[in-house]
Amino acid sequence: MNIHKTCGGTPIYMEQENDWDRDLLLDPAWEKQQRKTFTAWCNSHLRKAGTQIDSIEEDFRDGLKLMLLLEVISGERLPKPERGKMRVHKINNVNKALDFIASKGVKLVSIGAEEIVDGNAKMTLGMIWTIILRFAIQDISVDETSAKEGLLLWCQRKTAPYKNVNVQNFHISWKDGLAFNALIHRHRPELIDYDKLRKDDPLTNLNNAFEVAEKYLDIPKMMDAEDIVGTLRPDEKAIMTYVSCFYHAFSGAQKAETAANRICKVLAVNQENEHLMEDYEKLASDLLEWIRRTIPWLENRAPEKTMAEMQQKLEDFRDYRRVHKPPKVQEKCQLEINFNTLQTKLRLSNRPAFMPSEGRMVSDINGSWHALEGAEKGYEEWLLNEIRRLERLDHLAEKFRQKATIHEAWTDGKEAMLTQKDYATATLSEVKALLRKHEAFESDLAAHQDRVEQIAAIAQELNELDYYDSPSVNARCQNICEQWDSLGSLTQNRRESLERTEKQLESIDELYLEYAKRAAPFNNWMEGAMEDLQDMFIVHNIEEIQGLITAHEQFKSTLPDANKEREAIQAIQAEVQKIAQHNGINLSGTNPYTSITPESIDSKWEKVQRLVPQRDQALQEELAKQQSNDHLRRQFATQANMVGPWIQTKMEEIGRISIEMNGTLEDQLTHLREYEQSIIEYKPHIDRLEGDHQLIQEALIFDNKYTAYTMEHLRVGWEQLLTTIARTINEIDNQILTRDAKGISQEQLHEYRTSFNHFDKDHSGALMAEEFKACLISLGYDVENNKQGDAEFARIMGIVDPNSSGAVTFQAFIDFMSRETTDTDTADQVIASFKILAGDKNFITAEELRRELPADQAEYCIARMAPYGGPDGVPGALDYMSFSTALYGESDL
């Protein structure tokens, strides 16, 4: 072997002249195999120029097709050939071709232009073999071996897994055809059913491999199966030439596979992100729809007629608070976590930030949630006010019925009394008595004026408060007022009639008159006392019931004086009887001036005496109830005053933990999860407080002077606490994800957190623009206050604060720092990968995508790629460049 150097210094091993001369003496079958193989090899290249050869020793004699072959396989232009038919012209053309071969570092031994022009077959075959070695085999390199050894090593590695195949050379190892079939099956398994091939049927094996290679791999048939099988030792050069075609056909497969893998990776990331976007959109839509349905229910202020119906509404509201709302609070928290995780993944994969569809931003959901909580608070206040109103209405209605019944009982028979003509046949004394009796009635009538006015006032108030049974109240009140007006007219008429006869009657019984005058107000006082003692009362605290008890005690202190007045009135009646008996006067048995009898006075007095202890008992029972209510207030206040500060303390501790840097991120995450568990374990205290609150509401307690905390305040605090710890854990998760994806060390994270905390003066977890600039300067960034620095700072702010909120979170700060120090996939890399799959074209077809990519990702690309509009396109061509750019820019994906 001779070692020749190319112009670049790479050694090329060429066979010496005696090597080729020895071949001239070998089996003529080899020459036949070389003729066919070399001719097919030459034609596989010449067809690209639109021509071919039929006889390898004849068609290269003029040097024209030889020069054309070299131009095709080298991609370079040779000197202009001479078109003359003289021998000298042909020799010159062949010499130009041989000079070009020599310029490529190949030393031709014993091969001259005259032999080629004379049609020397052996020399021509030797020249073609030299060309094949230089342009088809020399550049093959596997594990630092090249040319023949590299090609042999490539064949051995590709066929190693196949049974009955053991490639050790380029002659007898290929006779049974299994090696050819194994090479095809290794790279295109769908073309060969290798398990059906038999080692004892070499003709079938060889023909199958040659036909498949020609039909599907664009490798022309260079040898006949019969020549290989019929030769003891097939020609090594022919086999090497044929096998090199397989190498070059499959060498691009690895590049296509790598390109396909890159595209698959990019598309997998995009598909996962789209799935997360769809999940966010659905969860956001469901939550907003629930809020949209719930707010009208909470804003419904249609009042009910009865306490029972309003109590049912209150119970429905409690079910909403206990059963329906808590899962939605969890969904809202999970939605925020999913959104943050998605944005982190998009940043890590160099994708644009996710912008939810209109109306489904996190801020939109928070706004709707705020509106929900506003409606919820207003609804609860309205329910309690409505219950108070209905309670007030029930009290007034009962008071109205009680007073109306008493009044109607008093007026019963009064019209008949005022219209009777008893004075027409009466004596003077009887007329005097009737007149005095009428005066007493007028006094009684005037005393009842207040009751009538009270009845009218209560009816008016019931109307103003929209009492559901106002028509019947109004009708009854109207009857009472009309009857009262009638009584007034009748009383005036009777007085006028009695006064007309008064001049004729002079006898008057002063004692009866005095009895009547004193009995009437005392009787009215007793009726008022009985009414007050039976009056319903409603109180809301101990002070009010104690006030009623004090008033009742004051009333009881007046009873001795009232009893003296009763005894004085009864003494007047006793004096009348004494005088009548003493003077023999025949009394009618009744006082002519009043219908109030001593018996009625005693009866009413006894009733007052019975009602007093009953009133005592009712007041004491109410006092016990208010004391129980006060106990409920204290019980709720004790628990609330403990839970409220606890929640506040935990919120402050979470804020401190998120700022401090104790241990690794995993340690911080473990600490936070343990902290979250301790918070969850505190839930029984909240449940106990809810139970105390329910007891207070069931007892209709509307105020609590022992605590400043309301259940609504504590619920909001608890929900904020759960949301804050979940959000903090999510931030640490995202920091771990960023660290692992970007390869950031713990020391770098510690440095970033130290710098961030140093400039976060208010411990808000975010840096304002000037604070962030100072932080960048401390890390060595040139963002000083000059034109260049301002432009650089504006660029950085566009990355870390795309929404222009004016604040930079720690997560955005880490993303920026990691992006500055790590590499990511780019649109240019994806475009280059597609270009490999497209065979260097500016477009790609659906068939090529389906052949090179997995089915689902191929269809994903086909559905999203726009038609290619370039002049070099073909029907069905797709634009992979705009598609790749859209993956990393603004897109509808």
Side-chain angles (χ1 to χ4, degrees), residues 67 70 78-82 90-101 113:
M67 294 179 70
L70 291 171
L78 271 69
K80 184 177 181 181
E82 299 179 10
K90 297 178 181 180
I91 292 174
N92 289 339
N93 288 338
V94 173
N95 276 326
K96 290 177 182 179
L98 296 177
D99 290 343
F100 178 79
I101 295 172

Side-chain angles (χ1 to χ4, degrees), residues 708-779:
Y709 293 101
T710 65
M711 195 63 230
E712 178 63 25
H713 178 214
L714 294 174
R715 286 194 196 102
V716 171
W718 176 252
E719 292 169 0
Q720 287 178 346
L721 179 61
L722 293 177
T723 301
T724 299
I725 187 64
R727 186 183 296 115
T728 304
I729 289 174
N730 177 250
E731 289 175 356
I732 298 299
D733 277 331
N734 286 338
Q735 290 177 27
I736 292 174
L737 184 61
T738 301
R739 182 199 66 192
D740 294 341
K742 298 298 185 177
I744 302 174
S745 69
Q746 186 66 34
E747 289 74 19
Q748 286 178 303
L749 280 176
H750 186 275
E751 180 185 357
Y752 295 160
R753 171 54 84 179
T754 301
S755 299
F756 189 92
N757 288 348
H758 176 76
F759 292 97
D760 185 15
K761 303 298 184 182
D762 57 355
H763 305 297
S764 63
L767 298 180
M768 295 299 102
E770 289 302 316
E771 293 174 337
F772 181 59
K773 176 181 281 189
C775 182
L776 288 177
I777 292 173
S778 73
L779 292 173

